[in-house]
Amino acid sequence: MVEFEQKPQYGIADLQEIVRLLRSPGGCPWDREQTHTSIRNDFLEEAYEAVEAIDLLDMPLMREELGDVLLQVVFHCCLAEEEAQFDFAAVCDEICKKLIVRHPHVFGDVKAEDTDTVLKNWDAIKKETKGQETYADTLSSVAKSLPALTRAQKVGKRAARAGMDFDDAAAAFDCVRAERAELQAAIAEGDKAMIEEELGDLLFSCVNTARHLGIDAEQALTKATGKFIERFAATEQLVSADGKNMPDLSIGELDVYWENAKEHERQAQEQQIEQENTQEENNND
């Protein structure tokens, strides 16, 4: 048994010590086996769970999930410390220095009275400190591990800084139409490699349209997927209520149930709006 002082409340130093104990010879076999690579996906999973807590504005859950993310940071720092590469203090030191350098309008004598100026200064400083000599360098630096839609949107945004962009959302949407036609042609040809390429171009064009409309493409698709799941569940319930199974029905029959589910959804939304309006009127009275 590893000895550790029990406290009513713990801090960052305690977390570091707990991780070191878990990694020690008398610690946890699983923790001792881990490497930077083996827990890579754990980091991603915890980050996504923290984002979901933020989306829900669930403060207790956010507190828990941010703790899980912090654990990942501390764990990686512990691994690096064991390898004599860096430690948690070095990570804190580097991010503090970066924040100071990239906020000369706060910690220096640079003037920046609005957000646009702040962002322009940030980008210029980032480009200089990272040794990015060309605009292409800034595009290449967008992390390949990002979700594809997010990465595409960031790449498009950075390309726009070099003037490589559509004039407006309408022009971006025209490109969507053009790419759709090219995809249709590729499908007619039956060339799978070409189909994949043209489908990618179509998706990239959709992302550019989203960017010009001020829409986060990743979030838009996430919401669309969620809506599909909810509507699918409602469709399945309607099918089951009629004593049937979905796989036994044709797509035409399923479409009828799907449209009924949409209609129920629309009616529910109208009822909710009506209730909210009634509540507001009562509050005003």
Side-chain angles (χ1 to χ4, degrees), residues 235-246:
T235 299
E236 185 175 22
Q237 288 176 355
L238 291 174
V239 171
S240 297
D242 283 347
K244 301 176 182 179
N245 294 317
M246 292 184 71

Side-chain angles (χ1 to χ4, degrees), residues 43 113 143 191 246 260:
F43 205 144
E113 298 180 354
D191 187 327
M246 292 184 71
N260 287 339

Side-chain angles (χ1 to χ4, degrees), residues 45-47 49-51 53 60-70:
E45 183 178 337
E46 298 298 355
E49 289 179 0
V51 168
L61 183 60
M62 192 187 305
R63 181 183 62 211
E64 177 186 350
E65 298 301 343
L66 289 176
D68 290 342
V69 172
L70 181 58

